Amino acid sequence: MARQRIICDCDPGHDDAVALMLAANSPELELLGVTVAAGNQTLDNTARNACRVLQWLGREEIPVYAGCGRPMVRDRVTAGDIHGETGLDGPVFPPLRKAAEKEHAVSFLVRTLLESQGDVVVVTSGPMTNLGMALRMEPRIADKLQRIVLMGGSYTNGNVTPAAEFNILADPEAAHVCFTSGRPITMIGLDVTRKVLCYPEIVERMAKVNTCASRLFVDLMKHFCKTQKEIFGWEGGPLHDPVTIASLLDPSLVTTKPMNVRIDLSHGDSYGRTNCDAFGYLGLPATADVAVDVGVERFWDIIEAGLRRYGETEAGT
Ligand code: RIB
Ligand code: CA
């Protein structure tokens, strides 16, 4: 069976790092490159973190492209309260050998999509700035985008404001460009990612896998779960981003419902909200397949299988 060709656009970020672990070593996927934007931390941090993770996992050949350091319109926001000053606080990484490519992420997205046969899925797990800019820079890539799969939004409550989720609120205009691209979109929002809580027993389960990936997972989760509990009171950190990749590995993992989704660009309390018309009140065409449920046990089985696919020793040392 042909491998699904993907690009991961992210803002590592603890949960982004786990998504990369799945994406970088799954036989079902061909990871063409990792593009990075500012989000959880500043771009220098998020780009460095992507390189750190791939080097640690022994996947240094996967190229990393640094992209936009600021949102398209609004002021930049970061999430150091969750992910720390480096954006990946917790693990101790060896000296970094891997560097980002010289090509800008937006240029890589445009070039790769234009050269493709329309068989590339772009998975975003951070602010959608790079993809939004790419769509504005070269609209022809829209026809080449097989699908956008994003972690972002919510049809219930946000996690930065009552209305808005971080990835969307960090660049609502970019999200609007993506959601109005006319391309198939799978929106995996907080509504389902808040169901995959990484409880202590999950961390203990993954520690027994005893690979370089599982050790990184455990060190990441020690920090991520601590800050999530401090801020939200969760007994386990919601592992948002890997649900995107897991849904590609097992399409039955996530249940979706077609909905008209519009990004609130007004500058009031709902700025950055994904307004999901779950019951078709507005009579408008659906613009996204919105995740409404996730197989929690299956998800953790996918995570465990992904960690097992790595070697026992860190390649990054
Ligand atoms: O709201 C959760 C999202 O914001 C996740 O992608 C997390 O990494 C942060 O980017
Ligand atoms: Ca993220």
Side-chain angles (χ1 to χ4, degrees), residues 48-280:
R48 182 188 312 115
N49 292 337
C51 292
R52 277 176 164 165
V53 169
L54 292 174
Q55 176 178 313
W56 179 277
L57 297 172
R59 299 309 313 270
E60 292 179 59
E61 78 283 2
I62 296 172
V64 171
Y65 300 86
C68 298
R70 308 189 65 80
M72 290 178 83
V73 176
R74 63 156 297 162
D75 57 318
R76 184 178 68 197
V77 289
T78 55
D81 55 343
I82 296 281
H83 298 276
E85 286 307 305
T86 68
L88 215 54
D89 281 16
V92 177
F93 290 95
L96 185 58
R97 291 189 303 266
K98 181 174 177 57
E101 306 299 311
K102 294 200 179 334
E103 183 176 17
H104 192 283
V106 174
S107 168
F108 167 76
L109 283 163
V110 169
R111 173 172 62 82
T112 305
L113 289 167
L114 284 183
E115 290 170 357
S116 78
Q117 301 304 311
D119 59 342
V120 177
V121 171
V122 175
V123 181
T124 70
S125 61
M128 303 178 84
T129 314
N130 289 332
L131 187 54
M133 290 294 285
L135 283 161
R136 280 292 187 259
M137 180 171 150
E138 181 45 85
R140 288 183 297 153
I141 65 170
D143 294 336
K144 291 297 189 81
L145 260 172
Q146 181 179 318
R147 177 171 284 268
I148 300 169
V149 177
L150 70 125
M151 190 279 137
S154 161
Y155 57 81
T156 51
N157 298 321
N159 63 353
V160 182
T161 67
E165 176 278 329
F166 177 83
N167 286 339
I168 307 299
L169 183 60
D171 198 339
E173 287 74 16
H176 169 77
V177 170
C178 295
F179 273 79
T180 55
S181 66
R183 299 309 296 154
I185 292 180
T186 301
M187 177 184 129
I188 295 180
L190 296 174
D191 321 283
V192 299
T193 65
R194 280 172 165 160
K195 293 183 177 183
V196 289
L197 299 179
C198 189
Y199 292 112
E201 53 267 31
I202 294 287
V203 179
E204 288 162 22
R205 169 180 168 182
M206 303 307 168
K208 292 173 185 163
V209 171
N210 195 27
T211 63
C212 65
S214 68
R215 276 192 290 282
L216 181 55
F217 179 92
V218 169
D219 288 349
L220 287 167
M221 289 303 105
K222 280 178 185 168
H223 177 90
F224 183 68
C225 295
K226 176 173 174 293
T227 56
Q228 290 280 350
K229 180 163 174 62
E230 287 166 355
I231 294 170
F232 295 102
W234 302 119
E235 289 308 320
L239 209 49
H240 306 290
D241 294 337
V243 182
T244 59
I245 303 298
S247 73
L248 293 178
L249 298 177
D250 178 352
S252 70
L253 177 75
V254 169
T255 305
T256 62
K257 181 177 182 182
M259 299 184 194
N260 178 270
V261 179
R262 297 194 291 184
I263 311 300
D264 189 314
L265 300 180
S266 65
H267 285 266
D269 290 347
S270 295
Y271 183 46
R273 177 169 176 72
T274 48
N275 281 315
C276 303
D277 190 359
F279 301 103

